[in-house]
Amino acid sequence: GKLVFEGDTKYDVLMKCGEPTFKDRQHQETVTQTHSLTVQKEMRTVEIWLYNLGSHRFTQLLEFQNNKLMRIKTGEYGYEKSDPQRCMGNQVANGDTKPEVRMKCGEPTHKTQFQEERLVTVRNPQSQPYPIVLHLQVEEWTYDLGPNRYSRILKFHDGVLVELKMGERGHR
């Protein structure tokens, strides 16, 4: 019943809303053009909090950057309990965050983390385009759905689902 607003601190939100159902923290590298000839690479920490309010209410997704609430997003209806079988159908989609996937599917059987490099071309009016390398956090989650089903492999870039594919038959 207490309202939170963009600009609130994590502490303020915690005091008003309690602990979120799921949290995720990502370190994202970005490029900003500060002047027509100057480009700056920045590393920022983004934290996503998901509040699952049950199957009859919408989830709330809160995005923090450097301890400040930057965005509040109302999601879909929540779930009473996680179920890996949801990872089979269309209930998980590109654009879902890691907390949303955990809410729907539960904890994955296996997680792998690594970095990929992304080449970004920067253009400014006074010079030739030139490339800048950004580092992208990548995580792959595998859900083993049992010996009669194919496993599901979910790939996240900076905490957002970008690919969902079938793997080998499960082992459990």
Side-chain angles (χ1 to χ4, degrees):
K2 297 179 182 176
L3 297 179
V4 296
F5 300 97
E6 291 178 2
D8 285 354
T9 66
K10 287 192 275 187
Y11 178 78
D12 293 336
V13 173
L14 199 57
M15 291 299 100
K16 292 177 184 176
C17 303
E19 277 293 326
T21 311
F22 300 107
K23 288 183 186 180
D24 182 49
R25 175 181 288 164
Q26 298 291 318
H27 302 287
Q28 298 176 350
E29 197 171 38
T30 59
V31 175
T32 54
Q33 192 145 359
T34 58
H35 186 270
S36 63
L37 297 176
T38 309
V39 173
Q40 182 175 342
K41 277 173 57 167
E42 294 179 314
M43 183 66 79
R44 66 179 180 181
T45 301
V46 176
E47 197 165 322
I48 303 290
W49 291 8
L50 180 130
Y51 287 91
N52 179 3
L53 305 173
S55 60
H56 299 292
R57 297 184 61 196
F58 293 111
T59 59
Q60 298 296 315
L61 213 63
L62 282 61
E63 179 182 315
F64 295 89
Q65 289 181 26
N66 302 329
N67 195 39
K68 294 287 182 191
L69 181 57
M70 300 302 287
R71 187 167 67 115
I72 302 168
K73 176 184 162 195
T74 299
E76 57 192 68
Y77 283 106
Y79 293 93
E80 293 302 322
K81 67 178 200 144
S82 303
D83 182 2
Q85 300 302 321
R86 285 193 192 100
C87 290
M88 292 178 51
N90 60 359
Q91 294 195 21
V92 175
N94 286 349
D96 284 352
T97 63
K98 289 190 316 188
E100 289 172 307
V101 171
R102 277 192 50 218
M103 175 187 65
K104 295 174 188 178
C105 305
E107 195 63 35
T109 310
H110 181 74
K111 291 181 183 180
T112 303
Q113 295 180 336
F114 52 96
Q115 277 193 354
E116 288 180 357
E117 290 184 346
R118 177 180 286 169
L119 200 59
V120 177
T121 303
V122 176
R123 302 183 195 299
N124 53 40
Q126 287 80 21
S127 69
Q128 294 287 337
Y130 60 94
I132 291 183
V133 175
L134 292 180
H135 297 90
L136 189 67
Q137 281 189 322
V138 180
E139 209 167 313
E140 285 187 347
W141 291 5
T142 302
Y143 286 90
D144 185 334
L145 302 173
N148 298 325
R149 295 217 152 100
Y150 291 101
S151 62
R152 295 295 186 267
I153 301 167
L154 287 71
K155 186 175 186 178
F156 297 88
H157 283 183
D158 287 336
V160 176
L161 183 62
V162 295
E163 184 181 355
L164 171 63
K165 61 185 177 184
M166 275 196 291
E168 303 285 322
R169 282 201 184 270
H171 300 285
R172 292 183 181 210

